[in-house]
Amino acid sequence: MTRARYMASAVAAVALAGVMADAIWRPEAMGAAWLAVTVAWLGWPLGSMALMLVHALTGGRWGAIMYPALRAGIATLPLGLPALAGVMLGAGDLYPWLHPDGGVGLANGFYLNPPAALARAMIYVLAWGVLALVCLRGREPGWIAPAGLIVLGLTYGFAAIDLTESLAPHFSSSAYGLVASAGAVLLASAMGIVLEGARASTADLLRDLARLLLGLTVLWAYLDFMQFLIVWQSNLPAEAAWYGPRLRGGWGMVALCLVGLHFVLPFVLLALPSLQRRRPVVVAVAGLLAGMEVVRNFWLVLPGRPWAQIVLPVLLSLAFFGAGSIFLVLRPGMRAPSVSYRDERGDAHV
């Protein structure tokens, strides 16, 4: 074991011990913080998987450049097991529909109930595990890519509904899963550019990455804004109430930061042709988008909880997932260079 992996394992173990101690002391705060960090992290391996499957179908220079980073992202998926265990242990404090009388009067009670939720969780674990094994085995996943993308899109969309939308069981949005999926792919793309942007040896390759990131940013912003616009136009109490705590007080300031730093500033910088060829700009914007996607997931889960109670649990959870990801990514051969089939269509652009 290398020194870096040893240090990462030690940090992860200490952080996990802190998480367990805080869960005993303040289970509700720890459960919310663990869930927020879990959904923020989950977008990286699943978004990386989606990008790898898309590249298997379309080719393109962007995939050849980001392939080691995509592989690294998928390699962190085993963290999903402790993540799921933590969510299940804290579920009683998070999801009102799990209470004995919590599902009474719910129009979607057929969906939001413990047996159905457990069955869906088992499907998610099985589907994602199989797709991860296919993507990491080092051979072309093109044979499974069409079906894999459909399965991945459906399972991740429903998982987003289960994990975060169902925190408010009366809230309903048909776009919620799409917004979450777009955010996950955007996060994975941003992480790929941060980790592998230096491999873009020419200005044209860097421009391809910048345009890919720009397109994904616009897609996410469009879906998220349309969800907000539809809720605003409908003006239904249950749906409007969901936005209430997220647009007031300190979380309202976070929402403004998301508008400015998750869309407006990245859009302006990435849309300028002269900046698309500047590596420091593209990598910095990618890092900003990755960070703001994490903040956006916090914004989905944590409003309504006192700031003083969630800071330490969030930091402990971030330390565990960060150190655990480093430990898994640094396994020998995990970030191998791109295999030949991804370069055969190297003349394809974004």
Side-chain angles (χ1 to χ4, degrees):
M1 181 183 296
T2 64
R3 182 178 180 182
R5 292 194 75 206
Y6 177 81
M7 293 180 62
S9 64
V11 171
V14 172
L16 184 59
V19 166
M20 296 173 65
D22 204 27
I24 297 173
W25 178 32
R26 298 177 300 185
E28 185 174 355
M30 189 68 246
W34 184 265
L35 174 63
V37 177
T38 292
V39 295
W41 158 82
L42 188 60
W44 185 25
L46 298 186
S48 297
M49 200 182 303
L51 287 172
M52 186 176 288
L53 293 175
V54 167
H55 184 254
L57 292 175
T58 67
R61 299 179 297 189
W62 61 271
I65 294 171
M66 292 198 299
Y67 176 73
L70 299 180
R71 184 177 171 86
I74 299 171
T76 67
L77 195 59
L79 288 175
L81 295 178
L84 177 61
V87 171
M88 293 180 68
L89 288 174
D93 295 319
L94 293 170
Y95 303 103
W97 50 272
L98 288 176
H99 300 166
D101 58 345
V104 176
L106 285 179
N108 54 359
F110 69 94
Y111 183 87
L112 295 180
N113 61 80
L118 183 60
R120 291 194 299 274
M122 294 174 62
I123 293 173
Y124 303 153
V125 171
L126 178 62
W128 297 343
V130 170
L131 288 174
L133 289 175
V134 172
C135 290
L136 291 178
R137 66 178 185 169
R139 296 174 59 189
E140 180 178 1
W143 63 275
I144 201 175
L149 284 170
I150 294 173
V151 170
L152 188 60
L154 289 173
T155 53
Y156 186 76
F158 281 108
I161 294 172
D162 292 340
L163 289 171
T164 55
E165 186 181 10
S166 68
L167 292 169
H170 294 282
F171 175 71
S172 177
S173 170
S174 58
Y176 197 91
L178 291 175
V179 176
S181 299
V185 176
L186 176 59
L187 172 62
S189 177
M191 289 295 296
I193 292 174
V194 169
L195 295 175
E196 301 296 337
R199 297 183 64 220
S201 56
T202 67
D204 287 340
L205 291 175
L206 197 62
R207 183 188 60 186
D208 286 350
L209 297 179
R211 288 178 174 178
L212 173 66
L213 198 60
L214 175 62
L216 292 173
T217 301
V218 172
L219 174 63
W220 167 82
Y222 168 76
L223 292 172
D224 208 7
F225 175 72
M226 289 306 299
Q227 174 181 271
F228 175 80
L229 181 63
I230 292 172
V231 170
W232 178 77
Q233 285 182 325
S234 302
N235 198 27
L236 298 176
E239 296 179 356
W242 186 86
Y243 277 101
R246 293 166 176 81
L247 297 179
R248 291 195 299 261
W251 289 108
M253 296 301 298
V254 173
L256 290 177
C257 290
L258 288 173
V259 172
L261 300 179
H262 202 328
F263 173 64
V264 176
L265 181 60
F267 175 81
V268 171
L269 294 177
L270 294 175
L272 296 175
S274 59
L275 297 182
Q276 291 177 351
R277 299 171 180 267
R278 295 183 179 272
R279 193 186 316 276
V281 174
V282 175
V283 174
V285 171
L288 175 63
L289 285 169
M292 294 312 296
E293 181 60 22
V294 172
V295 172
R296 186 185 74 88
N297 283 284
F298 291 175
W299 181 79
L300 291 175
V301 176
L302 297 177
R305 295 170 173 83
W307 288 81
Q309 294 183 12
I310 61 175
V311 172
L312 179 59
V314 166
L315 292 177
L316 289 172
S317 301
L318 284 172
F320 171 76
F321 280 96
S325 296
I326 293 173
F327 178 80
L328 293 172
V329 167
L330 293 182
R331 282 183 294 176
M334 189 50 59
R335 296 182 69 240
S338 176
V339 294
S340 60
Y341 81 89
R342 290 174 178 81
D343 297 320
E344 290 174 358
R345 300 178 221 173
D347 58 338
H349 294 265
V350 173

